[in-house]
Amino acid sequence: MPSADADQVTRFRHTSVLLEGAVDALVHDSEGIYLDGTFGRGGHSRLILSRLSEQGRLLAMDRDPQAIAAAAEIEDSRFHITQREFAHLAEFAKEQGLYGKLSGVLLDVGVSSPQLDDPVRGFSFMRNGPLDMRMDPTQGESAAEFLARASEADIANVFKTYGEERYAKRLANAVVKRRVEKPFTHTVDLAEVLKAAHPAWEKGRHPATKAFQGLRIYLNGELDQLDAALEAALEALAPGGHLVVISFHSLEDRRVKRFIRHHVRGDTHLPRGVPIRDDQLNRRLEALGKGSRPSDEEVDANPRARSAVMRAARKRG
């Protein structure tokens, strides 16, 4: 009899964004050792494995227990997965004796379609479910718990900082007023309160969208996770290894772009006039083109891909 996790894997499928483009940018050596830091439902991992020779290897990570359950479908001796946050990819590489030896690292940042589509996970207001939003439901604080105890100022800060919500204070005030009467426990209930309080709806976008995004990013520590993962990936890569990152909103993409640009330029904080050779600037990355976006055909097939940006770089050395 299939497990509950296996049943969830079957019900909610995922279409990997920028699938061919990301793997094309990542795999430059068929005998190399690669790491998929965000396994999801395995679309990228399966294509990576198809590009590797018998000597190649693929490590994978994900913090979501359902993603780990999905990985059980891959029966390949070249593949190994662990359940943990991608911020800890360096320690995983060290455990495998591969620190500084990886041929490539792929990070597909953000929430996956199965997480959005499964109402039990509480990520989306499109289907009513428990107000959770944790990528690993066994760790940390749920959205319901946060909204029950946080101050109005803290809630507004989350909506503004992580959701880029212009009317953050007004929405936070509505949340705090309503929770006095009845605590928030389900997604649609919160969405309706945000909807009623929002003064300026954007065409084609639910007025709760940005607030929900802010809660999810905050609760899962997504931006801190991304910063840590980028630094860890740079150290875990072998010289000549490729870093490929797919992000889905400006908060993520700005961080990725800034990280790559910093390591492409090297140490630019030296005083003017200081004589220094080019090889002393500590330029650790070489950009592999500019940011790439999904084709019109891919967006038509998967509308959630429309905001995706892929950036790639090669480690110097």
Side-chain angles (χ1 to χ4, degrees):
M1 184 176 181
S3 67
D5 278 347
D7 184 56
Q8 295 294 336
V9 168
T10 301
R11 288 177 60 203
F12 302 106
R13 293 297 180 183
H14 177 63
T15 301
S16 297
V17 175
L18 289 161
L19 179 60
E20 294 283 346
V23 176
D24 286 346
L26 181 75
V27 179
H28 57 96
D29 177 7
S30 65
E31 297 185 358
I33 304 168
Y34 297 86
L35 188 148
D36 181 352
T38 43
F39 179 82
R41 290 303 181 267
H44 289 112
S45 281
R46 287 181 174 86
L47 187 57
I48 293 168
L49 285 168
S50 75
R51 302 281 182 88
L52 300 184
S53 69
E54 289 300 314
Q55 288 71 42
R57 289 179 60 189
L58 175 63
L59 307 179
M61 307 173 65
D62 208 295
R63 65 162 99 174
D64 189 336
Q66 291 182 10
I68 303 303
E73 297 177 0
I74 298 181
E75 297 180 359
D76 192 317
S77 61
R78 302 170 298 167
F79 176 75
H80 177 62
I81 191 168
T82 185
Q83 182 182 349
R84 68 183 82 182
E85 299 164 341
F86 66 8
H88 302 300
L89 69 85
E91 69 182 35
F92 182 34
K94 289 177 181 178
E95 291 168 5
Q96 300 297 310
L98 298 170
Y99 188 67
K101 299 179 181 179
L102 295 176
S103 303
V105 173
L106 171 65
L107 304 174
D108 183 1
V109 186
V111 66
S112 69
S113 290
Q115 289 168 330
L116 286 170
D117 293 338
D118 184 355
V120 173
R121 304 303 301 273
F123 284 101
S124 174
F125 45 78
M126 301 302 291
R127 297 173 176 81
N128 198 25
L131 192 56
D132 195 313
M133 296 194 189
R134 290 171 293 174
M135 292 185 180
D136 180 352
T138 68
Q139 301 290 325
E141 185 177 40
S142 70
E145 291 167 337
F146 171 73
L147 292 177
R149 61 91 184 159
S151 69
E152 181 176 329
D154 285 346
I155 296 171
N157 183 58
V158 167
F159 289 169
K160 181 179 181 180
T161 303
Y162 301 107
E164 299 180 295
E165 173 53 68
R166 179 181 178 186
Y167 299 99
K169 290 183 179 180
R170 181 168 180 159
L171 299 189
N173 178 259
V175 167
V176 170
K177 283 184 176 179
R178 214 311 294 277
R179 77 181 181 189
V180 174
E181 306 168 11
K182 179 184 175 184
F184 290 97
T185 59
H186 283 73
T187 54
V188 169
D189 182 24
L190 174 61
E192 288 301 313
V193 169
L194 295 172
K195 180 180 178 180
H198 205 293
W201 298 9
E202 294 181 43
K203 185 177 180 180
R205 173 177 282 187
H206 193 289
T209 298
K210 292 182 178 180
F212 265 66
Q213 173 188 296
L215 280 170
R216 190 204 82 222
I217 291 173
Y218 168 76
L219 292 168
N220 292 289
E222 292 179 37
L223 299 183
D224 290 340
Q225 286 277 322
L226 176 58
D227 289 341
L230 291 170
E231 295 289 350
L234 181 56
E235 300 304 325
L237 284 168
H242 290 195
L243 172 64
V244 178
V245 187
I246 302 170
S247 56
F248 288 84
H249 56 74
S250 59
L251 290 174
E252 296 168 343
D253 184 52
R254 282 199 296 267
R255 276 171 154 75
V256 177
K257 186 177 181 180
R258 184 169 61 241
F259 176 83
I260 292 176
R261 183 174 58 210
H262 170 73
H263 288 290
V264 166
R265 291 178 177 176
D267 189 354
T268 58
H269 301 292
L270 297 170
R272 287 186 178 182
V274 173
I276 187 169
R277 298 192 311 272
D278 188 67
D279 62 351
Q280 293 177 308
L281 289 173
N282 195 29
R283 292 174 174 164
R284 304 190 67 192
L285 289 174
E286 174 190 353
L288 298 176
K290 298 182 179 180
S292 301
R293 292 187 177 273
S295 65
D296 291 341
E297 292 76 15
E298 184 171 0
V299 172
D300 288 342
N302 179 17
R304 285 174 179 162
R306 65 185 178 275
S307 62
V309 180
M310 182 187 77
R311 299 188 185 277
R314 179 189 295 112
K315 183 174 179 179
R316 292 174 178 267

